[in-house]
């Protein structure tokens, strides 16, 4: 059985296995040695954040039953996309595709911060008052749909092998759980890992209430996109224990920690002038 056949045949088990495995490891690590104390109880956080994950899986299954893998198969049949056109060795195609998909995810993340209407959707991810493994999966259903459409468009242009799409989705999922972990890596390990990959400390900076920190470290997998694009900040100004997680204006747990509040969050308030080019920062009382 070839690698591609293996991945296609056991796709569901591979996805589920990785999800449950990494979730269990991170969840346990957070209980044994948490990096920061939680402000909202773990029971409330997990039931509501995972409730949102459940809603999203349902929405995706109903709207896009063929999913990204189906689009990749269709593109391959039609001969669409760069990698279907050039017919490189499979291993090379897979590496190129995974790296390219990661760069698109980085750009998409910058986009949802830069455009005020899209920030309304994305702020559901940022409004979490704490930072743990479940934050990594906490996205508004409309943002999940937007992500899927951008991924479909990317696949049609790129023509990645089906196995690359599965690998990318599994890796993105695993990395999102890892780098949202409320955990502490040994400093030296963090430093070495960070040369290439996003670490929990690196992505935590992105969840700061301070605008310039929240508009940094957009990467999910590879750390190079932030470095070469000039959006990299190494550490939060107030330190990892002292920094405040979330968004200044949204601190009410009923609104940001409970599922109905999260679903309503994009539709609250006037469209503000919030945009990524606001690089200054200020304390809430000074703004
Ligand atoms: Zn973000
Ligand atoms: Zn995040």
């Amino acid at each position: 059985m070839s690698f591609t056949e293996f991945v296609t045949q056991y796709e569901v088990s591979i996805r589920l296995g990785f999800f449950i495995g990494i979730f269990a490891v991170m969840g346990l690590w957070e209980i044994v040695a948490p990096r920061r104390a939680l402000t909202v109880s773990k029971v409330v956080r997990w039931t509501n954040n995972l409730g949102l994950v459940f809603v999203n899986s349902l929405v995706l299954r109903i709207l896009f039953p063929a999913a990204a893998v189906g689009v990749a198969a269709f593109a391959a049949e039609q001969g669409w996309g760069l990698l279907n056109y050039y017919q490189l060795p499979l291993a090379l195609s897979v590496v190129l595709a995974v790296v390219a998909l990661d760069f698109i995810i980085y750009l998409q993340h910058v986009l949802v911060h830069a455009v005020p209407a899209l920030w309304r959707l994305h702020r559901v991810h940022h409004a979490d008052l704490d930072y743990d493994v479940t934050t990594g999966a906490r996205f508004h259903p409309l943002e999940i749909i937007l992500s899927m459409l951008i991924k479909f468009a990317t696949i049609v242009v790129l023509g990645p092998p089906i196995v690359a799409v599965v690998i990318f989705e599994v890796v993105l999922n695993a990395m999102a759980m890892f780098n949202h972990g409320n955990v502490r890596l040994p400093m030296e390990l963090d430093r070495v890992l960070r040369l290439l990959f996003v670490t929990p400390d690196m992505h935590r900076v992105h969840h700061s209430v301070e605008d310039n920190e929240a508009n940094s470290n957009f990467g999910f997998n590879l750390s190079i996109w932030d470095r070469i694009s000039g959006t990299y900040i190494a550490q939060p100004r107030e330190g990892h224990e002292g920094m405040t997680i979330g968004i200044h204006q949204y601190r009410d747990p009923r609104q940001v920690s409970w599922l109905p509040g999260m679903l309503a969050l994009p539709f609250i308030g006037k469209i503000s002038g919030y945009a990524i080019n606001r690089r200054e920062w200020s304390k809430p009382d000074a703004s």
Side-chain angles (χ1 to χ4, degrees):
M1 187 190 286
S2 76
F3 183 57
T4 304
E5 281 165 351
F6 176 81
V7 169
T8 340
Q9 189 165 346
Y10 296 106
E11 194 196 321
V12 177
S13 317
I14 293 171
R15 283 177 195 270
L16 210 64
F18 270 91
F19 175 74
I20 294 171
I22 309 270
F23 188 91
V25 169
M26 295 311 295
L28 216 61
W29 189 354
E30 288 176 345
I31 290 170
V32 175
R35 179 83 153 113
R36 296 163 47 92
L38 297 179
T39 57
V40 175
S41 88
K42 204 180 260 294
V43 176
V44 171
R45 295 179 46 63
W46 282 28
T47 36
N48 286 280
N49 285 357
L50 295 176
L52 186 54
V53 174
F54 180 75
V55 170
N56 287 337
S57 321
L58 218 61
V59 167
L60 283 183
R61 191 143 309 170
I62 292 166
L63 285 182
F64 310 113
V69 170
V71 177
F74 182 73
E77 257 168 48
Q78 306 293 320
W80 289 353
L82 286 173
L83 294 171
N84 285 319
Y85 183 81
Y86 285 108
Q87 304 270 334
L88 305 170
L90 180 67
L92 182 59
S93 278
V94 168
V95 172
L96 288 177
V98 169
V99 171
L101 283 165
D102 192 46
F103 182 52
I104 297 297
I105 284 277
Y106 165 84
L107 290 179
Q108 178 193 328
H109 193 182
V110 176
L111 176 77
V112 296
H113 275 253
V115 179
L118 299 182
W119 166 248
R120 287 178 160 249
L121 305 179
H122 185 60
R123 72 188 178 192
V124 173
H125 180 63
H126 281 261
D128 201 336
L129 299 171
D130 293 301
Y131 184 86
D132 78 2
V133 59
T134 62
T135 311
R138 192 190 129 119
F139 291 93
H140 195 273
L142 290 175
E143 182 171 10
I144 291 286
I145 293 172
L146 175 74
S147 295
M148 212 34 140
L149 294 175
I150 290 175
K151 202 191 296 178
F152 289 172
T154 307
I155 288 172
V156 167
V157 174
L158 185 66
I162 293 174
V163 57
V165 174
V166 178
I167 290 174
F168 177 71
E169 291 188 328
V170 168
V171 167
L172 179 65
N173 196 260
M175 281 296 281
M177 287 191 280
F178 168 68
N179 61 36
H180 285 88
N182 183 25
V183 297
R184 180 202 309 267
L185 293 181
M187 250 166 66
E188 193 52 25
L189 178 62
D190 185 283
R191 199 185 60 77
V192 174
L193 265 183
R194 236 191 240 211
L195 295 175
L196 197 55
F197 300 105
V198 177
T199 64
D201 274 11
M202 177 175 165
H203 189 72
R204 193 178 297 105
V205 177
H206 182 73
H207 281 259
S208 164
V209 290
E210 305 301 350
D211 287 339
N212 73 322
E213 291 178 345
N215 287 323
S216 310
N217 302 7
F218 294 97
F220 283 112
N221 296 308
L222 295 173
S223 62
I224 51 173
W225 312 125
D226 283 297
R227 293 175 193 278
I228 62 178
S229 309
T231 51
Y232 177 68
I233 289 184
Q235 306 295 343
R237 201 177 291 107
E238 308 275 342
H240 287 281
E241 269 106 83
M243 70 186 288
T244 308
I245 300 280
I247 305 177
H248 275 317
Q249 303 94 309
Y250 303 102
R251 312 296 305 169
D252 176 2
R254 268 171 313 172
Q255 191 174 47
V256 300
S257 301
W258 289 85
L259 188 52
M262 286 187 234
L263 290 173
L265 196 58
F267 311 103
I268 283 167
K270 280 190 275 182
I271 288 243
S272 74
Y274 181 97
I276 194 170
N277 59 359
R278 187 193 290 165
R279 301 292 293 183
E280 77 274 20
W281 68 285
S282 56
K283 298 256 184 240
D285 46 315
S287 59

